[in-house]
Amino acid sequence: MNPRSTIVRLGLLLTMSIATATAVAAPPNFHDRVHLCNLRLNALVKITFGQTGTTATVGVESQPVKYNPYYQSSPFQSYIMRATASIKKDSASPWSAIVDSQEGIVGMSTGTPVYAGNSVFKDGTCEIKGSVYIFTSCPPESGRSFDVALIERNWVGCGVY
């Protein structure tokens, strides 16, 4: 084996290792519309992880449930939303959570999102989690009486690897 091919192989191995480590360390952010009641209703949900030199954070937000403008729907569906930002410093510790919740009527709510945020000191054994739970009654046109959505993202290791 010549020295040049050994250097090339080592360079490729190092590049793949760095790419793998970066992919593993990336936070599992979520930002999308959650569709409910056979696409008749939806809510914009964001779960965002961040970090500083010493802390890891999670922010969880959900906009109020809205009607999909592309579908005709009967009014006055009620909903309940809960945003939860949870932390634990290691696998043996209990979860500590901050929760914000809201009840409303689709299309008639105040427009204020639910939001919860939390942070923990970074450590390779810490874990942070963001979740949004939505329960809503459905318009008769959807063919369902109610719908439930749970969006949850965990970040094990809090960015320390």
Side-chain angles (χ1 to χ4, degrees), residues 2-21:
N2 79 37
R4 181 171 163 88
S5 66
T6 303
I7 291 172
V8 170
R9 287 182 185 168
L10 286 174
L12 287 172
L13 182 61
L14 179 62
T15 302
M16 290 187 317
S17 297
I18 291 171
T20 302

Side-chain angles (χ1 to χ4, degrees), residues 76-141:
F76 307 115
Q77 280 65 54
S78 60
Y79 68 87
I80 300 168
M81 291 191 304
R82 185 177 61 235
T84 306
S86 305
I87 60 168
K88 63 180 188 174
K89 64 180 186 169
D90 56 50
S91 60
S93 297
W95 285 102
S96 173
I98 295 176
V99 179
D100 187 19
S101 60
Q102 178 183 107
E103 295 181 30
I105 303 295
V106 177
M108 300 181 76
S109 69
T110 62
T112 306
V114 293
Y115 178 82
N118 214 335
S119 64
V120 65
F121 285 110
K122 282 173 51 172
D123 185 286
T125 62
C126 72
E127 186 174 351
I128 54 181
K129 175 171 45 177
S131 61
V132 173
Y133 170 80
I134 304 169
F135 175 87
T136 184
S137 59
C138 294
E141 299 86 359

Side-chain angles (χ1 to χ4, degrees), residues 23-56:
V24 169
N29 295 328
F30 179 89
H31 182 182
D32 205 355
R33 286 210 176 275
V34 175
H35 298 283
L36 303 151
C37 301
N38 291 326
L39 301 174
R40 300 284 176 165
L41 307 176
N42 66 68
L44 180 61
V45 172
K46 299 176 195 175
I47 301 174
T48 308
F49 296 89
Q51 60 182 317
T52 67
T54 58
T55 61

